[in-house]
Amino acid sequence: MSAWGPQHWAFLLAIIGMLLLFGEVLIPSAGAIFVTAIACLAASVFCAWQAWWETNPSYFWGFVAGLAITLPMAGYWMLKLWERILFSADDAERQLTKTSPAGELKLLIGKQGRTVSPLMPAGIVVVDGERIHASSEGMIVERDEPIRVVGVRSNRLIVRVIDPNEIRDADLETGLEDAESDEPLDFNVSEG
């Protein structure tokens, strides 16, 4: 009898199959690694069948049951590890707000400001001293109306006119003087 019988190959191929499944989680391969892992696992079951089916079927079924228990457990821990390495929830949210304009705009939800131009339904508003493109919720809003940010859609604030009695002076005073001017917006581009 050789040193490497089918029982040895069954265990070796099962281990290689699990490692390949782990590799598929970490390395995107469009399924090539996954297919190879499934082939290794199928070959390990075949080797176990060759090794034990005729002599001791309970060993074969024990091997198959062991795979059936080990694979989901290993998959669960691999996904947990992958999530921990790549997708820490706090880091992902912080990264979103740093890199995405929509993420930065979401921080303004609930803040108050004023319209700089009429919103028909889109225009310019000032929130926290910054001029930002905004849209109303479908209504025409006149210039210099108090507004509250209620959402973000396509890198644009969604605003709603608020009752003057609800205005919090601290929200409106911040940098509003710098953002307002009596000069009309000039969109003419000089040629030359």
Coordinates of all heavy atoms in Angstrom, one line a residue, residues 48 58 65 69 151 156 160 187-188:
A48 N -12.8 10.0 -0.7 CA -13.3 9.4 0.5 C -14.2 8.2 0.1 O -14.2 7.1 0.8 CB -14.1 10.4 1.3
S58 N -19.4 3.8 7.2 CA -19.6 4.8 8.2 C -18.5 5.8 8.3 O -18.7 7.0 8.6 CB -19.7 4.1 9.6 OG -18.5 3.4 9.9
A65 N -20.3 14.1 6.6 CA -20.9 14.9 7.7 C -20.0 15.9 8.2 O -20.4 17.1 8.5 CB -21.4 14.0 8.8
I69 N -20.6 20.0 8.2 CA -20.6 20.8 9.4 C -19.5 21.8 9.3 O -19.6 23.0 9.6 CB -20.4 19.9 10.6 CG1 -21.7 19.1 10.8 CG2 -20.1 20.8 11.9 CD1 -21.5 18.0 11.9
G151 N -33.4 66.4 3.3 CA -32.8 65.2 2.6 C -31.7 65.6 1.6 O -31.4 66.7 1.4
R156 N -27.5 66.9 -4.2 CA -28.3 68.2 -4.1 C -29.1 68.1 -2.8 O -29.7 67.1 -2.5 CB -29.2 68.3 -5.3 CG -29.9 69.6 -5.3 CD -30.7 69.7 -6.6 NE -29.7 69.9 -7.7 CZ -29.9 70.7 -8.7 NH1 -31.0 71.4 -8.8 NH2 -29.0 70.8 -9.6
R160 N -37.1 72.4 2.7 CA -38.5 72.7 2.9 C -38.5 74.1 3.6 O -37.7 74.4 4.5 CB -39.1 71.7 3.8 CG -40.5 71.9 4.2 CD -41.0 70.8 5.2 NE -41.0 69.5 4.5 CZ -40.8 68.4 5.2 NH1 -40.7 68.4 6.5 NH2 -40.8 67.3 4.5
F187 N -23.2 84.4 -15.0 CA -22.9 83.1 -15.6 C -22.2 83.3 -17.0 O -22.0 82.4 -17.7 CB -24.1 82.2 -15.7 CG -24.6 81.7 -14.4 CD1 -25.7 82.2 -13.8 CD2 -23.9 80.8 -13.6 CE1 -26.2 81.9 -12.6 CE2 -24.3 80.4 -12.4 CZ -25.5 80.9 -11.9
N188 N -22.0 84.6 -17.4 CA -21.4 84.8 -18.7 C -19.9 84.5 -18.6 O -19.2 84.8 -17.7 CB -21.5 86.3 -19.1 CG -23.0 86.7 -19.3 OD1 -23.8 85.8 -19.6 ND2 -23.3 87.9 -19.1

